[in-house]
Amino acid sequence: MPKYALYVEKESIIHKIDPRAKILWVLCVFIWSMTFNDPLWTLMIFIIVFSIGLISKTLKEFKFAYPGMISLFIMCLILWPLFRRMGNIIIFEFGPLIFYKESFLYALAVGIRLCAMILAGLIFLATTKVEDLEVGLVKIGLPYSIAFGVSGVFRFIPTLLGDGQLILSAQEARGLDLRSGSIFSKLRKAVPIIAPLLVTTFRRTGELAMAMESRGFSIRGKRTSIIQIKFIKKDYLFTIFNIILTIIFILLRIIGYGAIIPQVL
Amino acid sequence: MDIISIKDLYVKYRMAKKYALEGINLNIKLGESIGIIGPTGAGKSTLCACIAGLVPNLVKCDEFNGEVIVNGLNTKEKSVAEICQHVGIVFQDYESQLFRTTVLLEAAFGPENLGLNIEEIKERVENALKWTRLTGMEKKYTFALSGGQKQRLAIASVLSMLPSILVLDEATSDLDPIGKYEIYEIIKNLKKEKPITLIMVDHHLDRITEIVDRVIVLNNGKTIYDGKPREIFSKVDELIEMGLAPPQVTEFFHRMNYNKEYPINIQEAIMNTPSKWKVKPLIEKEVKKYSNIPAIEVIDVWHSYEPNIWALKNINLKIYDGEFIGLIGQNGSGKTTLAHLIAGIMSPTKGKIKLFGEDVTKQTILKRGRIVGYVFQNPDYQIFSNTVKEELEFGPLQLKLPREEIEKRVKHVMKVLNIEDIANEDPFFLNKANRQRVAVGSVLTLNPKIIILDEPTTGLSPGETRKIMELAKDLNNMGVTVITITHDMWVVAEYCERTIVLHQGEIKMNDSTRNVFSKIDELEKYFLKPPQITEYSIKKFGQPFLSVEEIISHINIEEDKNA
């Protein structure tokens, strides 16, 4: 049975925080992670995010995402040193390829940085219902249709995944072997998966549009929302705390802390 | 006063070769209840979409001539946003109509768009949920609802807009018998409470007779008949000719050459059965001999999607080579899960599955696909090729069979399915019945020994349903073991030799189809109902006949000897 979106129903303070405050928190995490490029400092950011995750009791639900995060992390470690070739201490040379200690540490920092950002995003989605996100976006000032679109994407991801899974099974049952062959033959083999997925999604979207329109989606004028969100004391505290942290982190970076390669982000 | 008035309506969709509607003239009075029937492609859905203003405002067409006036509004000149405050429309696929996460939010979406104040929204939602018997479920997630509840929620979410016209476009097609029945019940009660005008497209004529007071038959975009239900349903031969199914009791009386007004429901049929119609004891058709080789063995199988919630509990089942099995049960009872486990789409959490004696529990679907063919409810899951022929060739090509063998198989399958004339067409543009045939064909070219049909006939007219099932029967006669999942009980009654009833993840009944359908009370516990003719024959003659054909062959008309 497909669940909707990534929302995980748990009792936690993070769940109760106003969606606007949480959107701002995610933005802050993005800024914090970009502020530093020393792995120890980005690790600190990661630990902050991780603790918020612990408080929200949702970390267990991201099992599906961990393999992806780990492979992204490893990719960073391998690729960044090749492109960001800076530093003084050479670890090893391999023909024209020179690996510097600094660029390796930088890569480590970037890997941790990306994981922190992804984790923050996941925590946000796991603790915020799509409708709350929608209301939050509208209150921030986005037009309703865009807010609906954003929340709708998250609402329909599980549906899309479910369709994809069944299509994959259907074609495998007909002998489609996706596991063997070169990367190019694998790409060619993706056609029997992609084409039905597009057609199914296309038909689904058509029906969805009709259902939405016939319930007055495009009525112009003020829309009421049955969900009432209020920015209360705890949301102010959370937000002020985040803003102060952001200012402190930026100042620290300006006076020279937390950077392996100071010239770049 | 006419609440809907349609004048000389011609509609042609973009890229379409022919008109979807061709000269429709229709006037509907306030408070009328209309049933619309017709074969697939007759224009029923287009007509509904025109009344709701979706055509031509949302769906663009090459041609839209004529006038549709709804509640005084000319739909061509108004937007859907305006028309939707007068017309509520509900479609067949409940999954794609629900887009909020909870029952409350779903039902509130419309009134929210109207910009009403919160108190009024809450009141409207409360009423809408009451009418659809969903009170108390406000906080529930929509994905956790059963199919019938989802469709009722779809209805609730348009009722909260307080429309004066409610259009149900095959809203009951995907539901189990009781799910359908509940929809009809809430509609009947709604009619008592509100002067709402009702338009319903539905293939289940035996049920809608209780609700509608006028029936319109469409074919090829034109109105063929328009009249009282009894008058329309009595045209038994004409309806069957068009691929539609009049109520079974009506067909029975017609074929018995009954010379008075035909009954259109069970009660009428029981009361009016002439006393000289005597029934002979039931002669079982020659029992087909199966090999005693079990094709499928399901041993102590348990399956769960989430910890501690069992979708299947302790399933033990043997299906013999060459059997034709019906798998029935309420929406969400575990039918599809069981079928997926047999086909290898998933592995069971616990237990074993054997095919022809070999333990295949851990085997990949890639290998199992050569033995078990699975036809999905949605043919779009399988179809991707540019032509029908290429689609059929795909499976054997993957198996790297020799060219001649592939040609031979494709040719044979196209002949069996009778799709030779569309061999070079793009399957994307075929209608659903034909896409379903192509999907069946694409599985058949793999020469499976077992074929599973997962609701193959949903959304097809009775005539098309019969064609697909006849095809399954032919395959079965050639020795293929067939398992079909369906909500159409008459399909099970006429085609399946053995029927398995699943309820809440357990096998509750597993017996010959006749024995299963004899137990009306037990079936009801599992939200199922036997076909109309079976119920009638049990109640009137004490014998369970499975089809109109069968009961006719067992009736003797006793001539009055004194006359």
Side-chain angles (χ1 to χ4, degrees):
Chain A
M1 198 175 281
K3 275 192 174 178
Y4 293 152
L6 289 163
Y7 183 74
V8 183
E9 195 162 320
K10 284 269 163 69
E11 278 291 316
S12 90
I13 174 99
I14 310 295
H15 284 74
K16 291 194 188 104
I17 287 175
D18 189 284
R20 284 165 288 180
K22 273 186 276 186
I23 294 173
L24 187 89
W25 173 71
V26 175
L27 285 177
C28 285
V29 171
F30 281 31
I31 297 171
W32 304 342
S33 338
M34 295 304 288
T35 308
F36 302 115
N37 63 32
D38 180 327
L40 281 177
W41 289 78
T42 48
L43 185 64
M44 176 188 79
I45 306 299
F46 184 82
I47 290 169
I48 296 176
V49 176
F50 194 81
S51 345
I52 296 280
L54 282 180
I55 298 171
S56 74
K57 301 177 197 163
T58 56
L59 287 179
K60 257 197 246 159
E61 310 290 327
F62 306 144
K63 275 183 203 138
F64 69 93
Y66 292 145
M69 279 163 74
I70 291 167
S71 32
L72 186 72
F73 183 70
I74 295 170
M75 288 260 281
C76 276
L77 284 192
I78 298 169
L79 290 177
W80 275 104
L82 294 175
F83 293 106
R84 185 71 79 198
R85 273 184 261 167
M86 286 175 175
N88 308 313
I89 309 158
I90 295 170
I91 309 178
F92 70 92
E93 277 178 78
F94 185 77
L97 299 176
I98 307 166
F99 284 85
Y100 295 99
K101 186 183 164 202
E102 284 85 347
S103 60
F104 177 73
L105 286 176
Y106 180 82
L108 198 61
V110 171
I112 299 171
R113 169 195 285 176
L114 290 175
C115 288
M117 288 168 152
I118 294 169
L119 192 62
L122 288 174
I123 293 169
F124 174 72
L125 292 173
T127 58
T128 316
K129 289 185 188 156
V130 292
E131 284 91 356
D132 291 348
L133 165 63
E134 192 179 291
V135 176
L137 291 173
V138 169
K139 291 257 167 146
I140 287 173
L142 256 65
Y144 180 70
S145 51
I146 292 177
F148 181 89
V150 172
S151 68
V153 167
F154 295 115
R155 156 70 181 78
F156 280 99
I157 284 175
T159 314
L160 198 69
L161 289 178
D163 280 340
Q165 202 62 49
L166 281 180
I167 290 167
L168 189 69
S169 307
Q171 306 300 36
E172 278 193 319
R174 289 168 70 193
L176 180 72
D177 183 3
L178 280 170
R179 269 156 226 178
S180 64
S182 70
I183 179 108
F184 293 106
S185 75
K186 270 185 187 157
L187 278 180
R188 220 175 318 123
K189 281 180 191 165
V191 173
I193 310 290
I194 310 267
L197 190 58
L198 282 178
V199 171
T200 308
T201 309
F202 179 72
R203 288 195 206 269
R204 233 184 242 291
T205 321
E207 283 171 37
L208 175 68
M210 288 211 256
M212 278 164 46
E213 288 291 329
S214 47
R215 277 152 67 182
F217 180 68
S218 53
I219 292 176
R220 286 190 198 90
K222 194 153 168 37
R223 185 180 191 278
T224 329
S225 175
I226 195 164
I227 298 175
Q228 295 293 311
I229 53 172
K230 262 205 198 109
F231 219 77
I232 55 171
K233 206 168 125 201
K234 65 171 189 315
D235 304 313
Y236 282 112
L237 284 175
F238 186 65
T239 306
I240 290 167
F241 179 71
N242 285 326
I243 291 172
I244 292 175
L245 262 189
T246 310
I247 295 170
I248 295 175
F249 286 159
I250 292 174
L251 287 177
L252 280 173
R253 172 68 198 261
I254 290 173
I255 55 174
Y257 288 97
I260 287 288
I261 306 177
Q263 305 91 300
V264 295
L265 278 177
Chain B
M1 188 195 111
D2 288 340
I3 191 161
I4 299 172
S5 136
I6 299 175
K7 268 190 217 114
D8 293 321
L9 182 62
Y10 286 81
V11 175
K12 194 163 145 194
Y13 287 117
R14 285 245 165 106
M15 319 261 289
K17 286 177 199 140
K18 56 178 204 142
Y19 284 89
L21 292 178
E22 222 176 331
I24 297 283
N25 282 292
L26 184 61
N27 289 298
I28 297 173
K29 286 190 193 65
L30 182 75
E32 259 191 304
S33 295
I34 313 274
I36 299 180
I37 59 175
T40 318
K44 307 183 296 287
S45 289
T46 307
L47 184 58
C48 290
C50 286
I51 292 170
L54 297 169
V55 173
N57 294 313
L58 192 63
V59 184
K60 298 291 171 208
C61 355
D62 279 347
E63 226 177 282
F64 183 90
N65 286 323
E67 244 184 11
V68 180
I69 311 278
V70 173
N71 231 358
L73 305 173
N74 187 334
T75 59
K76 205 170 13 178
E77 292 155 11
K78 302 287 175 185
S79 66
V80 181
E82 203 163 335
I83 301 160
C84 74
Q85 297 169 48
H86 304 271
V87 187
I89 183 165
V90 177
F91 307 95
Q92 179 185 333
D93 182 4
Y94 44 79
E95 299 291 353
S96 50
Q97 287 175 78
L98 303 180
F99 43 86
R100 307 264 85 181
T101 55
T102 67
V103 170
L104 174 73
L105 292 172
E106 193 73 61
F109 183 78
E112 284 180 328
N113 288 329
L114 294 175
L116 304 171
N117 65 47
I118 296 206
E119 291 317 307
E120 180 159 9
I121 295 179
K122 288 197 170 143
E123 196 193 315
R124 283 190 179 202
V125 168
E126 197 179 306
N127 281 330
L129 294 181
K130 197 181 75 202
W131 288 322
T132 49
R133 299 184 188 169
L134 290 169
T135 307
M137 299 191 148
E138 289 82 354
K139 291 261 177 285
K140 270 206 164 192
Y141 288 111
T142 50
F143 68 75
L145 301 180
S146 72
Q149 289 169 336
K150 282 181 186 168
Q151 194 59 286
R152 266 150 48 202
L153 177 57
I155 295 175
S157 61
V158 303
L159 286 182
S160 63
M161 300 282 282
L162 301 182
S164 45
I165 302 162
L166 180 63
V167 182
L168 302 178
D169 184 2
E170 291 207 41
T172 62
S173 289
D174 275 355
L175 303 179
D176 55 68
I178 298 289
K180 290 184 172 81
Y181 172 77
E182 282 173 340
I183 300 268
Y184 301 133
E185 283 301 298
I186 62 166
I187 297 297
K188 268 198 268 179
N189 286 329
L190 189 65
K191 291 281 306 179
K192 279 181 211 151
E193 281 192 39
K194 288 159 64 86
I196 200 164
T197 306
L198 179 74
I199 296 169
M200 55 195 302
V201 176
D202 208 306
H203 286 307
H204 301 84
L205 308 192
D206 49 334
R207 298 268 178 246
I208 64 170
T209 50
E210 301 160 22
I211 302 169
V212 302
D213 34 47
R214 181 174 159 200
V215 173
I216 292 166
V217 184
L218 288 185
N219 198 9
N220 293 323
K222 295 190 187 91
T223 313
I224 305 289
Y225 303 116
D226 181 346
K228 294 245 165 287
R230 189 180 307 277
E231 186 188 318
I232 304 287
F233 297 157
S234 301
K235 300 179 191 293
V236 173
D237 293 329
E238 291 88 339
L239 291 179
I240 291 177
E241 174 76 15
M242 255 186 276
L244 302 174
Q248 283 181 317
V249 289
T250 316
E251 186 186 347
F252 170 55
F253 274 63
H254 169 76
R255 288 176 57 185
M256 291 299 294
N257 296 319
Y258 186 68
N259 52 15
K260 279 179 251 161
E261 207 169 54
Y262 298 149
I264 56 174
N265 59 40
I266 293 186
Q267 290 74 24
E268 284 182 17
I270 292 174
M271 272 164 44
N272 295 318
T273 307
S275 53
K276 58 183 183 181
W277 291 4
K278 297 286 185 229
V279 59
K280 290 184 280 191
L282 199 107
I283 309 152
E284 281 286 355
K285 269 184 284 175
E286 199 185 323
V287 181
K288 202 163 93 186
K289 289 230 170 67
Y290 311 111
S291 57
N292 45 10
I293 308 165
I296 304 166
E297 285 168 274
V298 180
I299 305 159
D300 298 329
V301 160
W302 294 67
H303 191 77
S304 75
Y305 295 96
E306 281 174 72
N308 299 321
I309 301 172
W310 296 102
L312 287 179
K313 294 173 213 161
N314 196 21
I315 302 288
N316 280 289
L317 184 63
K318 258 186 200 174
I319 292 170
Y320 293 94
D321 195 15
E323 274 196 289
F324 199 132
I325 302 277
L327 192 53
I328 58 176
Q330 197 187 355
N331 299 73
S333 57
K335 306 182 297 289
T336 297
T337 304
L338 179 58
H340 279 187
L341 292 180
I342 293 171
I345 293 169
M346 303 178 295
S347 302
T349 314
K350 282 195 249 174
K352 254 191 228 172
I353 291 178
K354 286 185 180 179
L355 294 182
F356 296 98
E358 189 193 345
D359 186 346
V360 294
T361 317
K362 296 271 172 271
Q363 202 180 52
T364 60
I365 187 166
L366 200 58
K367 258 188 147 176
R368 219 186 290 184
R370 298 181 197 190
I371 306 172
V372 189
Y374 197 101
V375 180
F376 286 84
Q377 178 183 3
N378 181 354
D380 295 331
Y381 279 169
Q382 276 156 294
I383 296 172
F384 68 95
S385 303
N386 292 326
T387 68
V388 170
K389 191 158 171 282
E390 281 173 33
E391 195 65 55
L392 299 191
E393 283 171 352
F394 177 76
L397 271 176
Q398 297 299 309
L399 300 183
K400 305 205 167 55
L401 296 177
R403 194 67 231 176
E404 317 83 82
E405 173 67 19
I406 297 178
E407 289 289 330
K408 209 178 94 193
R409 283 192 187 183
V410 169
K411 226 175 168 177
H412 176 70
V413 167
M414 286 207 287
K415 207 172 151 208
V416 173
L417 292 174
N418 197 13
I419 50 174
E420 288 143 312
D421 50 328
I422 54 169
N424 294 315
E425 282 192 38
D426 187 337
F428 182 78
F429 294 106
L430 298 174
N431 66 29
K432 186 167 178 214
N434 277 332
R435 292 209 305 280
Q436 195 60 273
R437 297 166 101 83
V438 174
V440 174
S442 71
V443 166
L444 284 185
T445 48
L446 291 158
N447 260 353
K449 298 181 70 112
I450 300 164
I451 186 159
I452 301 175
L453 304 165
D454 188 352
E455 297 189 33
T457 58
T458 302
L460 301 185
S461 70
E464 287 162 336
T465 299
R466 205 171 270 287
K467 279 186 202 156
I468 296 270
M469 291 318 294
E470 284 297 327
L471 173 75
K473 196 171 153 191
D474 290 344
L475 293 171
N476 183 244
N477 288 337
M478 288 180 224
V480 180
T481 309
V482 180
I483 301 175
T484 179
I485 299 178
T486 180
H487 287 312
D488 283 329
M489 294 301 130
W490 66 269
V491 168
V492 180
E494 290 189 28
Y495 292 94
C496 304
E497 293 140 0
R498 178 149 69 109
T499 297
I500 294 163
V501 177
L502 275 173
H503 182 64
Q504 296 179 348
E506 290 175 74
I507 294 182
K508 292 290 185 185
M509 299 170 94
N510 177 5
D511 204 342
S512 74
T513 301
R514 192 181 310 282
N515 286 347
V516 168
F517 282 139
S518 307
K519 296 170 185 144
I520 300 181
D521 297 336
E522 195 177 347
L523 282 171
E524 190 143 348
K525 278 197 290 190
Y526 310 131
F527 300 94
L528 300 167
K529 262 170 176 281
Q532 192 186 39
I533 196 74
T534 313
E535 192 177 337
Y536 161 75
S537 59
I538 292 172
K539 286 185 176 159
K540 181 70 199 174
F541 301 111
Q543 295 207 47
F545 293 104
L546 294 176
S547 66
V548 176
E549 210 67 52
E550 194 177 65
I551 186 167
I552 290 173
S553 67
H554 285 80
I555 293 268
N556 268 343
I557 300 181
E558 205 170 74
E559 291 306 329
D560 199 344
K561 281 171 194 145
N562 306 326

